[in-house]
Amino acid sequence: MRRATTALVEEYWQAQERIGAQVASQALAQWLRVNPHSLEESGSAWLAWMLALIRRERRRSRDQAAAFYRLYRALETGHTVPPLSGEYVGETTTLGELREDWADQTDTVRLPEPDDSEEIRLEGFDWPEEPEESHDRAAVASLVSQGPAKMRQRLEQADTDEARGRLDDGRFLQELEDAVDTAGRASAGAADREALRAGRDLIDQASKQDRRVVGWARITDGNPCAFCAMLASRGAIYTSQSTAAGGGRRKPKGAPDGRVRANRRPPVAREDLTRYHNGCHCQTVPIYSRNDFMTPQARDFDRQWQEVTRGMTGAEARRAWRRHIESSRS
């Protein structure tokens, strides 16, 4: 992976992280308006406000993803695709123009690069439409289940508590306050993920129809969970099931029988790469070369996996890996 591409991928997940973090922060601020004693009314108002926010930020996530995709593809292949807007911009563009678009979408200052004038040919491509109604339904379901529904469940438990008088008990009131706080933080995490859904979905759907794509790789954020770190350690997962099972690796140098060495890491499917949990800012990016795709971070996770799980397989290896990653997380 070239240095310029590695830097761009790093910029991309960080830009998406900023969107998610801002949405989570606003979700927490708005959650303070939810009143446990008028949950139906205040919860509905909170949900409407949050859905409007998420719709707006989904568009920003999607626009960023398209700008990233166009520049990333150009750096990797020397070819790119038309703008997401569908506007006709001719048959060629330049790396400088693509970088300018990326800087505009991320509100960053761009420094000139020596190859800015390099000409990039545009190839025919139809961007996938965003399934807005489906995304809205997913957002509502996630927000409600993590926020008002959690709070309602706790209130119903209080209503059926035989020791109803405990509502005057300071410890019980603290428990209730903690439950409100827990639901608020959980719904903020859900809002974070829903805001990034459109960008992730765009990359996923666009790359599936991109004839130059040969596989995908998981790029982690700065503090990944054990599952995300394991995905990243695999490097490229190719469209071929046989190469995916081996992590896309070439045969070991000097292997006498010419066979690929057994891979002790858990098997990973294409669908695994697009699984994200609340608060996760990892991304999945397309791969345009059959050569090993390993960012410096992925190589580090690969090294750690081999050390931590040496001599282990299956569930034992996964448990050891989980303990290792959880102990090192900030």
Side-chain angles (χ1 to χ4, degrees):
M1 191 177 191
R2 295 195 303 162
R3 182 178 299 178
T5 311
T6 301
L8 177 62
V9 167
E10 186 85 359
E11 291 173 12
Y12 177 57
W13 75 254
Q14 289 177 347
Q16 292 284 298
E17 180 183 52
R18 288 193 292 272
I19 291 177
Q22 289 168 8
V23 169
S25 177
Q26 293 183 65
L28 281 173
Q30 290 299 315
W31 183 253
L32 296 176
R33 300 186 179 186
V34 177
N35 187 340
H37 302 294
S38 58
L39 185 57
E40 193 70 31
E41 180 180 356
S42 61
S44 295
W46 172 83
L47 180 62
W49 193 94
M50 286 302 304
L51 187 56
L53 172 66
I54 287 174
R55 283 171 175 164
R56 186 187 72 208
E57 296 306 300
R58 277 201 324 242
R59 287 193 294 270
R60 193 153 70 99
S61 172
R62 183 176 165 87
D63 289 343
Q64 273 189 9
F68 162 78
Y69 194 92
R70 297 183 72 221
L71 176 55
Y72 175 76
R73 194 179 192 271
L75 291 171
E76 287 288 288
T77 70
H79 299 77
T80 192
V81 294
L84 182 62
S85 64
E87 176 186 2
Y88 178 74
V89 293
E91 297 182 356
T92 63
T93 184
T94 65
L95 280 178
E97 290 172 340
L98 293 171
R99 286 171 175 144
E100 197 64 41
D101 183 33
W102 170 242
D104 288 344
Q105 292 297 336
T106 55
D107 295 322
T108 55
V109 177
R110 188 181 80 82
L111 298 176
E113 299 283 350
D115 58 352
D116 276 348
S117 60
E118 182 178 331
E119 191 172 85
I120 304 295
R121 181 167 293 278
L122 274 67
E123 297 180 325
F125 189 78
D126 293 323
W127 288 100
E129 295 290 334
E130 180 187 1
E132 295 184 7
E133 292 185 2
S134 174
H135 285 177
D136 279 352
R137 287 194 297 271
V140 169
S142 186
L143 290 171
V144 169
S145 66
Q146 297 301 305
K150 280 185 182 292
M151 194 66 256
R152 183 177 295 108
Q153 181 182 23
R154 186 64 186 88
L155 291 174
E156 289 174 351
Q157 291 173 352
D159 285 340
T160 57
D161 195 330
E162 293 180 2
R164 179 64 176 169
R166 289 186 61 209
L167 288 174
D168 294 328
D169 184 280
R171 287 180 301 175
F172 184 72
L173 291 176
Q174 183 61 52
E175 291 174 8
L176 192 59
E177 183 178 337
D178 291 344
V180 173
D181 181 63
T182 298
R185 286 185 281 107
S187 60
D192 180 335
R193 183 174 66 173
E194 292 305 322
L196 303 187
R197 183 182 291 274
R200 285 168 168 161
D201 185 68
L202 180 70
I203 297 291
D204 180 47
Q205 297 304 316
S207 62
K208 284 179 179 178
Q209 67 185 48
D210 189 338
R211 62 185 178 84
R212 291 184 179 272
V213 171
V214 298
W216 293 266
R218 182 67 165 255
I219 305 299
T220 71
D221 59 25
N223 191 31
C225 68
F227 179 72
C228 293
M230 184 275 292
L231 289 178
S233 78
R234 296 298 300 271
I237 304 300
Y238 295 106
T239 54
S240 163
Q241 290 299 314
S242 60
T243 52
R249 301 303 182 84
R250 294 190 296 267
K251 68 177 182 179
K253 184 177 181 180
D257 57 3
R259 292 182 299 176
V260 176
R261 190 174 296 154
N263 190 336
R264 293 199 305 267
R265 287 173 293 186
V268 174
R270 165 68 178 83
E271 293 72 22
D272 290 333
L273 296 182
T274 54
R275 290 171 54 194
Y276 305 101
H277 55 79
N278 288 353
C280 174
H281 297 120
C282 301
Q283 299 291 332
T284 299
V285 298
I287 306 305
Y288 294 96
S289 171
R290 285 286 180 185
N291 293 329
D292 282 352
F293 178 94
M294 298 289 280
T295 64
Q297 182 192 55
R299 291 185 187 280
D300 185 44
F301 281 136
D302 183 36
R303 176 190 57 77
Q304 291 180 50
W305 175 274
Q306 299 301 334
E307 293 177 355
V308 170
T309 66
R310 184 171 289 116
M312 304 176 190
T313 59
E316 182 185 13
R318 291 193 294 271
R319 286 193 296 270
W321 179 248
R322 187 178 303 110
R323 288 194 298 268
H324 168 68
I325 292 298
E326 289 179 353
S327 69
S328 62
R329 294 186 76 188
S330 57

